[in-house]
Amino acid sequence: MERRLNSLFPSLMLEDHAEEVGLVERNRKLQMPPLVWSLVFGFATGESRSLADFRRSYNSTADDTLCPSGFYQQLTPELAEYLSDLVEAALDEVTVPDTTSREIDRFRDIISADGTVLRLHELLADDFEGRKEEQTGARLHLLHNITEQTIDDYSVTDEKTHDSTQFDTGPWLEDRLVLFGRAYLSYRRFALIDENGGYFVTPLKDNAKPVITEELREWRGDAIPLEGEQIHDVTEDLYRQYIDVEVEVEFERRAYAGEQSEDSKRFRVVGVRDEGADDRDYELYITNVPREEFLPDELATIYSCRWETELLFRELKTQYELDEFDTIKKHVVEILLYAAILSLLVSQELLALLTEHASAEIVFPPERWAATLRSHAQLLLYRLGDYLGYSPPPLLDRLVKEAQKIHQERQTLQEELVTAMQPTAEA
């Protein structure tokens, strides 16, 4: 296990890159491998995390301890940049064995695009503008590869930046299926995905008005004809189990040479009755996946894989305390954010190791694994530090340093009592 973690972030690489970005010199007291691993596993311990807890994790791993001021001085914009580089490196390294159904091997990858909001201190409003005037927030955007159970890409913006602006189309989409939320609905984006050989599935918004051009399934009996109708105008009159139609949508192409042209394209809309709601309600999805490959209920099942991305955000917020930023410094927010993402990536790497080691029939639910990692994080940090050859000061010495009074000018309750009692005793 220690060897696997060290291969993900070799100590020499951590030290050399710290020098490259001007973060630390080799003769400085700070040791980069213990710092990185303390930030990684520090997010996975305790009921709530603080900078003091990270410092204690570092002091229990490194050869020499750092006092509070010495540790806080290391939390710089350069450290934030350094951790960002480590995240980018890990994105290319971490892979988890494919556990998706063989039925959807037809796609090269299934990707989920999504984002989540992180609440911040109001004094950070200039750097992280919220959607509402009285709020401050950052938005974490992820491209989650559901097939490989990894993060393909990410970005951090203020809350006002829409998720859809962080999704780039291009040749990388070929033969990949992207699952979007309603916020990403854009016919021009869908056209570009289709033209790049990719596929998409997205819930249809209630105010979307694509016109039905053809029914892709024939119904026996006195079925209601749908051609020429807008999809939302007819759903309340239907009793069929599924809807499967071709629709035409209109959109504007991106402006070229100062001119913007209109265009249209035909896609597929499928509807599956929502059994948990009114029996006339359909869950409608717009897609370019052909009917010959997947029926409506199969597409709905594939789209439900997007729930794994929601579990990913839940893991970041509940297990790694991503939604708790007790700081007014932008670069400290970034340090804590990148540390949380690194924790997640290391978690996925260890999960891959478990999957390789365990019997094929054993299943590891993501939330159960995250909780298990969190409860064993300090032990992992201790074993990794020992594997890397670090010898922290004796525990008793560290306890003395941690527990002693820092501010000598401030009296403890016992000292105040003794001071108050002295005149009485002298009298």
Side-chain angles (χ1 to χ4, degrees):
M1 188 181 308
E2 294 89 341
R3 187 183 303 112
R4 183 72 163 253
L5 292 173
N6 187 51
S7 66
L8 182 61
F9 294 123
S11 293
L12 184 60
M13 181 273 285
L14 295 177
E15 294 166 350
D16 288 346
H17 190 57
E19 285 194 280
E20 291 172 5
V21 299
L23 182 60
V24 66
E25 298 174 2
R26 285 191 181 275
N27 61 354
R28 293 280 295 276
K29 187 177 180 181
L30 179 69
Q31 295 175 304
M32 287 310 300
L35 178 62
V36 169
W37 290 115
S38 297
L39 290 172
V40 167
F41 289 114
F43 250 104
T45 60
E47 293 301 320
S48 62
R49 300 306 299 155
S50 68
L51 297 179
D53 291 324
F54 284 118
R55 181 181 63 83
R56 294 187 187 101
S57 292
Y58 173 84
N59 286 345
S60 69
T61 309
D63 290 331
D64 297 304
T65 61
L66 289 175
C67 65
S69 60
F71 181 79
Y72 301 147
Q73 286 174 3
Q74 311 306 323
L75 307 180
T76 62
E78 289 76 20
L79 178 59
E81 177 187 351
Y82 175 82
L83 294 177
S84 175
D85 292 343
L86 294 187
V87 171
E88 293 291 343
L91 291 179
D92 296 330
E93 295 294 330
V94 175
T95 58
V96 177
D98 182 4
T99 57
T100 55
S101 167
R102 299 299 99 189
E103 297 175 357
I104 52 180
D105 272 353
R106 178 258 174 274
F107 302 108
R108 183 175 165 190
D109 287 307
I110 297 180
I111 307 290
S112 173
D114 206 351
T116 190
V117 174
L118 315 171
R119 286 283 157 242
L120 304 176
H121 196 284
E122 60 184 8
L123 294 180
L124 286 166
D126 289 342
D127 295 308
F128 297 100
E129 188 176 1
R131 295 185 65 183
K132 297 181 179 179
E133 186 174 346
E134 67 276 10
Q135 291 182 339
T136 303
R139 188 180 292 273
L140 173 63
H141 312 266
L142 292 184
L143 276 186
H144 179 208
N145 190 319
I146 296 173
T147 303
E148 298 184 359
Q149 290 295 297
T150 57
I151 299 173
D152 278 4
D153 199 8
Y154 79 101
S155 61
V156 181
T157 66
D158 60 20
E159 183 187 359
K160 290 193 70 174
T161 301
H162 200 280
D163 287 321
S164 63
T165 64
Q166 302 300 298
F167 183 87
D168 295 324
T169 55
W172 72 272
L173 287 162
E174 185 175 359
D175 220 24
R176 288 187 165 96
L177 172 65
V178 186
L179 310 178
F180 292 111
R182 286 184 175 85
Y184 288 83
L185 195 143
S186 164
Y187 297 141
R188 182 169 66 86
R189 176 181 294 113
F190 296 161
L192 291 173
I193 292 173
D194 187 68
E195 289 158 8
N196 277 281
Y199 300 90
F200 64 89
V201 179
T202 309
L204 198 62
K205 287 184 177 180
D206 291 340
N207 60 355
K209 299 180 179 180
V211 177
I212 299 171
T213 57
E214 182 184 355
E215 293 192 59
L216 300 179
R217 172 176 175 174
E218 293 185 3
W219 295 89
R220 289 179 292 180
D222 191 18
I224 298 175
L226 303 182
E227 291 184 17
E229 302 287 346
Q230 292 184 357
I231 186 68
H232 284 297
D233 292 342
V234 298
T235 53
E236 290 188 2
D237 299 325
L238 299 178
Y239 292 90
R240 60 191 66 172
Q241 184 66 30
Y242 304 115
I243 297 174
D244 199 350
V245 297
E246 181 186 74
V247 299
E248 185 171 69
V249 299
E250 297 180 349
F251 59 95
E252 292 184 340
R253 292 283 184 179
R254 179 170 292 177
Y256 180 75
E259 296 185 3
Q260 195 164 35
S261 60
E262 293 186 353
D263 202 349
S264 64
K265 205 167 183 69
R266 294 191 176 188
F267 295 124
R268 180 186 175 199
V269 168
V270 301
V272 180
R273 283 197 181 279
D274 184 356
E275 297 181 359
D278 187 286
D279 60 1
R280 287 176 178 263
D281 288 343
Y282 289 93
E283 288 289 342
L284 295 174
Y285 303 92
I286 186 167
T287 182
N288 65 335
V289 177
R291 174 179 170 79
E292 296 78 34
E293 297 190 26
F294 293 96
L295 298 174
D297 58 328
E298 294 171 332
L299 281 177
T301 300
I302 291 175
Y303 188 80
S304 67
C305 293
R306 186 176 159 83
W307 176 243
E308 294 190 22
T309 307
E310 297 299 326
L311 293 178
L312 201 67
F313 285 131
R314 185 187 298 181
E315 180 179 346
L316 282 167
K317 289 186 175 184
T318 60
Q319 299 297 338
Y320 308 138
E321 310 294 345
L322 184 59
D323 214 14
E324 298 184 13
F325 295 97
D326 188 19
T327 179
I328 61 173
K329 295 182 178 179
K330 177 186 177 184
H331 64 272
V332 175
V333 169
E334 293 172 342
I335 288 170
L336 297 177
L337 176 59
Y338 296 141
I341 297 175
L342 285 172
S343 295
L344 178 64
L345 293 171
V346 168
S347 169
Q348 293 177 330
E349 183 70 9
L350 289 175
L351 179 58
L353 180 62
L354 259 67
T355 304
E356 296 165 9
H357 178 74
S359 302
E361 66 272 10
I362 295 179
V363 177
F364 299 101
E367 290 186 304
R368 186 175 179 85
W369 160 242
T372 301
L373 172 63
R374 178 170 178 155
S375 65
H376 290 77
Q378 286 289 46
L379 177 59
L380 283 167
L381 182 60
Y382 171 79
R383 289 185 51 172
L384 183 58
D386 184 63
Y387 174 81
L388 296 176
Y390 293 100
S391 301
L395 178 59
L396 185 59
D397 293 345
R398 299 203 312 269
L399 292 175
V400 169
K401 282 191 174 183
E402 287 296 331
Q404 65 180 277
K405 187 173 70 171
I406 299 176
H407 303 288
Q408 299 300 325
E409 70 280 3
R410 297 181 187 174
Q411 288 188 324
T412 64
L413 180 60
Q414 292 88 341
E415 290 172 328
E416 290 178 359
L417 181 60
V418 170
T419 302
M421 293 290 291
Q422 278 181 344
T424 305
E426 292 173 356

